[in-house]
Amino acid sequence: MSDVLNVSEIFGKNVFNDAVMKDRLPKNVYKKLKKTVEDGAELDPSIADVVAHAMKDWAIERGATHYTHWFQPLTGVTAEKHDSFISAPSDGKVIMEFSGKELIKGEPDASSFPSGGLRATFEARGYTVWDCTSPAFLREDAIGVTLCIPTSFCSYKGESLDKKTPLLRSMQAVNEQALRILRLFGNTTAKRVAPSVGAEQEYFLVDREKYLQRKDLIYTGRTLFGAMPPKGQELEDHYFGAIRERIGSYMNDVNKELWKLGVPAKTQHNEVAPAQHELAPIYEGVNQAVDHNQIVMETLKKVAGRHGMACLLHEKPFAGVNGSGKHNNWSLTADDGTNLLNPGDTPHENIQFLLVLACIIKAVDLHADLLRESAADVGNDHRLGANEAPPAIISIFLGEQLEDVIDQLCSTGEATHSKKGGTLRTGVDILPDLDKDATDRNRTSPFAFTGNKFEFRMVGSSDSIASPNTVLNTIVAEAFKEAADKLEKADDFDMAVHDMIKEMLAAHRRVIFNGNGYSDEWVAEAEKRGLPNIRSMVEAIPALTTDKAVKLFEAFGVFTRAELESRAEVEYENFSKAINIEARTMYDMASKSIIPAVIRYTTQLAASISAVKGACPEADVSTQTGLLMETSGLLSDMKAAVSRLAEVTEKAACADGGIAQATAYHSEVVPAMEALRAPVDKLEMIVDKELWPMPSYGDLIFEV
Ligand code: ADP
Ligand code: MG
């Protein structure tokens, strides 16, 4: 059968991966490159020409005409500038060229990318630098075939202007410190410890025709108006429901595209909200996982277009309907296969695991503000703290088994046993009995231990996962370092490590919470425990530049103070710009579409009243009159809200930049937007559907 899909044949087909390099590169060059990729050795620039040549031949054989340095500026999405391989024509003929220099270094005009003041406008130079630890790949689309080379993006002075550079720096930091911990426990063979990450990606699909009728979706990625449909997600019939044909054929195409690019797409299912779905890949090294998540987001969008749909990655495309997130599953794996977060069957005896766990608990407690900040983006403000996503308070869920071990340690100083999961019995003879996990799940915790990894659930669906992982790697590196500094000097290691675990747990236990993270009691309890509850992006950003943060990031060479300040600046700017666009879009839709539609409706009502009265003076027109009164009342509320929105937006736009401007948008423009939305959503429920100028929530999420 020719139409059988052979996944193993297409997987990685468009990737210049290890197998291809082994096949196409001279042995000594391959070995040198491998040393950089696997051992983190410095790249030998003399091999660049040979690699570039092989890469070009491979790409051209597959139809590539262009190459691009693919990078991740602080816009949160990827950027690229395409160059063709052609040389300057001679005798009217061109040859296809690609040099080592072009592979290693690019120079996009950096002045148009956000730098938060790191570069003055006259210093426009920025460089993209080849990251050979993330393989180059071929992208096939309407433009043709393009060779994409993953790169870091830095300023002339070497300051990072992107998301990848600090991530790579943080990987170095955690590698170095984690190896010290392994050595303390007698592991002499592991050469590297790297974070492993699997990012579950949620998204919505809507019909493209309907999408194009909504300016809010086009300009802002979310709906700015919209009354709730008669049916929401209350029946829970969508979650894990059978996947419909149109969606299924989309998912099938997405998988094929991703597999060709070497992205190990694994799981797919319908999510809680109607029209919401999820895709999860198999976990990989964090650098690869970050790049692959960008590819996943691009692919979800691109393939949707081919299927007559639009993919919404926004954290909250529809008010009142579940939003979308990205669960960042994180663990630490050594090159000998050891997962440092694997408790084994008897965690109470696994001292290395308990030390690693205690370090992570300490790190998360000390730097909860930074983790919260790393998940802040404009869209996530609608989600964090709402009754659907993890609350804005950072806490750790460990589950019954580990909680019990910690209880034993803290109360008696000794942990003597680990609770077992027992057996799951269904009471049906033909179903086998199963061993249960020692711990149930908790869906409401922002940072949950799930067997052999932590799952950070705050990250927004449209955001890059680079920042959360950069923070995680660095804060854990710090805790490891502090532990190793002491333990390496200890006379009695067993005693010292035992005391250290107990002390760390006692000092940082307050961040552990196994209950319902959505409850009001937790908010009160967390406040008592002194845990920060940072409710918005604008309030989260200052965490980046505290003395504590600067000390941490500088100590591990992840960010300088100037880099942190620039990032904070860029985030304030991103926030202000996004809200400014939303406010202007609302203004535009309200003034040009909604008000005219409502006026048309009131005119019809008025005409109907006169006509009925004229035809039959005794007729009861109180219904029409009532509607006319109500509609006119809402219309004037709406008009007042439009004027108010215009006024505060204008004021915010003129405010000083940075925190002052972002605060103006957050505390004045956002409430004015909500105030405009309220009468409009009421009007949508009254005005003739034929006249309403855009598809409703029901049209969008139930008729895909
Ligand atoms: P769960 O249902 O517990 O969330 P899944 O098997 O669905 O677990 O995994 C969710 C994501 O976590 C997947 O992307 C998976 O590859 C990833 N994952 C599994 N184990 C690890 C690990 N040790 N480190 C990082 N990610 C992991
Ligand atoms: Mg999960």
Side-chain angles (χ1 to χ4, degrees):
M1 269 167 61
S2 60
D3 57 351
V4 171
L5 177 68
N6 188 334
V7 179
S8 45
E9 237 165 58
I10 65 166
F11 191 84
K13 175 172 166 272
N14 287 347
V15 185
F16 194 73
N17 56 23
D18 189 59
V20 179
M21 289 195 276
K22 195 165 184 183
D23 186 37
R24 291 187 169 242
L25 293 175
K27 230 188 189 130
N28 64 326
V29 173
Y30 171 74
K31 266 197 183 147
K32 277 188 183 165
L33 192 58
K34 190 101 174 141
K35 226 176 153 44
T36 301
V37 175
E38 284 186 353
D39 305 341
E42 198 168 320
L43 179 74
D44 174 355
S46 70
I47 65 171
D49 271 326
V50 183
V51 179
H53 195 80
M55 217 185 248
K56 179 203 70 180
D57 285 350
W58 171 82
I60 289 176
E61 281 164 32
R62 282 157 184 73
T65 53
H66 288 70
Y67 71 92
T68 178
H69 276 198
W70 186 75
F71 60 106
Q72 302 172 27
L74 300 177
T75 52
V77 292
T78 56
E80 48 197 71
K81 180 181 127 208
H82 298 195
D83 279 296
S84 76
F85 289 116
I86 63 168
S87 61
S90 127
D91 289 343
K93 289 207 167 72
V94 295
I95 50 167
M96 302 293 257
E97 283 181 337
F98 185 49
S99 68
K101 206 171 131 247
E102 287 166 310
L103 168 63
I104 289 192
K105 192 180 94 179
E107 197 191 331
D109 176 7
S111 59
S112 315
F113 292 104
S115 81
L118 269 186
R119 278 176 297 98
T121 35
F122 58 91
E123 289 172 336
R125 269 184 204 276
Y127 297 104
T128 50
V129 189
W130 180 34
D131 166 20
C132 67
T133 62
S134 182
F137 57 92
L138 294 176
R139 198 166 47 204
E140 300 169 304
D141 53 24
I143 300 183
V145 182
T146 309
L147 171 67
C148 300
I149 300 158
T151 53
S152 276
F153 180 43
C154 299
S155 77
Y156 186 70
K157 295 187 186 121
E159 292 136 332
S160 83
L161 297 172
D162 70 344
K163 304 247 175 188
K164 185 190 271 278
T165 314
L167 177 74
L168 294 174
R169 294 171 180 165
S170 75
M171 288 170 66
Q172 273 173 223
V174 77
N175 170 50
E176 192 181 322
Q177 303 306 329
L179 278 176
R180 290 175 71 193
I181 300 289
L182 287 184
R183 298 284 182 260
L184 281 168
F185 286 90
N187 182 330
T188 51
T189 49
K191 285 193 301 208
R192 273 185 89 68
V193 176
S196 302
V197 166
E200 305 162 56
Q201 174 73 49
E202 293 180 333
Y203 60 94
F204 277 84
L205 287 172
V206 297
D207 186 85
R208 189 165 161 76
E209 289 300 315
K210 293 179 188 138
Y211 168 88
L212 290 174
Q213 291 167 47
R214 298 221 34 151
K215 288 216 169 103
D216 44 7
L217 287 181
I218 295 174
Y219 294 134
T220 73
R222 75 176 180 108
T223 55
L224 299 169
F225 301 105
M228 280 304 286
K231 176 183 167 181
Q233 63 201 39
E234 60 275 36
L235 295 180
E236 296 180 341
D237 50 356
H238 187 69
Y239 192 49
F240 281 24
I243 296 170
R244 280 171 306 113
E245 287 268 310
R246 184 178 192 189
I247 308 298
S249 117
Y250 165 81
M251 287 179 171
N252 186 7
D253 259 4
V254 167
N255 287 334
K256 278 193 244 170
E257 290 292 320
L258 291 176
W259 289 335
K260 280 198 264 178
L261 293 168
V263 180
K266 171 87 172 164
T267 319
Q268 58 202 20
H269 61 79
N270 288 350
E271 258 301 328
V272 176
Q276 192 186 28
H277 312 277
E278 180 182 298
L279 181 153
I282 297 172
Y283 66 95
E284 305 174 274
V286 60
N287 183 31
Q288 192 74 101
V290 169
D291 286 357
H292 279 173
N293 182 251
Q294 291 289 350
I295 294 180
V296 165
M297 291 195 283
E298 285 175 21
T299 306
L300 286 171
K301 292 200 146 195
K302 189 155 69 183
V303 175
R306 292 187 204 147
H307 285 253
M309 295 189 285
C311 171
L312 309 178
L313 293 175
H314 195 282
E315 285 72 16
K316 193 76 179 173
F318 306 99
V321 176
N322 252 40
S324 301
K326 186 135 57 186
H327 292 178
N328 187 83
N329 293 271
W330 179 93
S331 69
L332 286 171
T333 321
D335 57 345
D336 62 5
T338 318
N339 175 354
L340 277 67
L341 273 72
N342 186 358
D345 291 334
T346 51
H348 70 283
E349 295 171 333
N350 189 342
I351 306 300
Q352 180 183 305
F353 168 77
L354 289 176
L355 177 65
V356 168
L357 182 70
C359 285
I360 295 175
I361 291 169
K362 170 179 164 182
V364 171
D365 185 33
L366 285 179
H367 299 295
D369 57 340
L370 279 174
L371 269 179
R372 165 66 182 87
E373 200 291 326
S374 76
D377 74 5
V378 186
N380 233 2
D381 269 10
H382 300 280
R383 192 173 155 259
L384 294 182
N387 196 25
E388 55 165 282
I393 306 161
I394 296 266
S395 67
I396 300 180
F397 170 81
L398 289 180
E400 217 180 311
Q401 189 190 44
L402 292 183
E403 175 83 337
D404 177 61
V405 170
I406 288 178
D407 270 343
Q408 295 176 48
L409 272 171
C410 290
S411 56
T412 66
E414 213 61 59
T416 56
H417 58 275
S418 297
K419 283 190 177 177
K420 294 273 172 275
T423 307
L424 179 132
R425 295 181 211 286
T426 59
V428 179
D429 292 342
I430 57 158
L431 298 179
D433 289 342
L434 300 176
D435 288 340
K436 274 200 293 197
D437 291 310
T439 292
D440 198 2
R441 284 177 180 271
N442 174 313
R443 282 283 161 213
T444 63
S445 175
F447 200 80
F449 186 72
T450 45
N452 59 4
K453 62 185 196 277
F454 274 102
E455 187 168 335
F456 184 36
R457 299 182 175 138
M458 269 189 179
V459 188
S461 49
S462 70
D463 210 357
S464 159
I465 55 169
S467 304
N469 287 302
T470 303
V471 169
L472 264 172
N473 297 344
T474 315
I475 64 178
V476 171
E478 181 190 58
F480 283 170
K481 178 178 186 299
E482 284 166 10
D485 283 350
K486 275 198 195 150
L487 293 174
E488 282 167 0
K489 288 193 219 113
D491 297 328
D492 181 343
F493 174 75
D494 289 346
M495 183 77 105
V497 74
H498 180 259
D499 289 350
M500 177 180 278
I501 293 171
K502 250 178 53 189
E503 274 164 32
M504 283 205 274
L505 290 175
H508 299 287
R509 250 187 116 167
R510 62 173 194 162
V511 75
I512 301 173
F513 177 63
N514 285 324
N516 178 5
Y518 293 172
S519 66
D520 293 336
E521 292 81 51
W522 171 230
V523 176
E525 165 70 18
E527 196 179 336
K528 252 192 257 154
R529 294 192 193 181
L531 302 178
N533 184 2
I534 305 170
R535 291 164 202 272
S536 68
M537 176 167 171
V538 171
E539 290 157 285
I541 298 171
L544 279 177
T545 50
T546 60
D547 289 343
K548 170 173 81 82
V550 173
K551 187 163 156 262
L552 165 80
F553 287 119
E554 290 200 331
F556 292 96
V558 174
F559 290 116
T560 61
R561 181 186 284 275
E563 285 173 329
L564 287 167
E565 282 168 355
S566 81
R567 261 152 227 259
E569 206 51 37
V570 170
E571 294 204 16
Y572 289 126
E573 244 173 58
N574 286 348
F575 182 84
S576 296
K577 283 183 191 160
I579 302 297
N580 189 53
I581 294 171
E582 289 190 351
R584 286 179 196 276
T585 305
M586 269 191 126
Y587 181 85
D588 189 89
M589 291 170 77
S591 312
K592 293 203 201 136
S593 313
I594 302 173
I595 291 179
V598 177
I599 290 177
R600 233 171 285 141
Y601 178 64
T602 51
T603 312
Q604 275 186 13
L605 277 175
S608 149
I609 295 167
S610 315
V612 173
K613 274 281 179 209
C616 175
E618 300 80 39
D620 176 11
V621 290
S622 60
T623 303
Q624 291 95 314
T625 325
L627 276 174
L628 183 55
M629 297 287 290
E630 190 182 353
T631 311
S632 304
L634 287 167
L635 183 60
S636 60
D637 292 350
M638 186 186 159
K639 183 71 185 83
V642 169
S643 306
R644 165 100 190 122
L645 178 63
E647 192 185 303
V648 293
T649 308
E650 196 53 43
K651 205 174 112 200
C654 296
D656 281 345
I659 188 168
Q661 184 162 47
T663 305
Y665 277 103
H666 175 64
S667 53
E668 291 193 50
V669 178
V670 170
M673 288 168 59
E674 281 159 16
L676 169 56
R677 180 175 180 140
V680 174
D681 289 357
K682 284 192 196 140
L683 281 165
E684 187 183 347
M685 298 302 289
I686 300 174
V687 172
D688 187 345
K689 179 157 173 60
E690 298 293 312
L691 294 176
W692 197 252
M694 64 195 106
S696 68
Y697 269 25
D699 301 336
L700 286 166
I701 60 180
F702 284 104
E703 296 175 26
V704 192

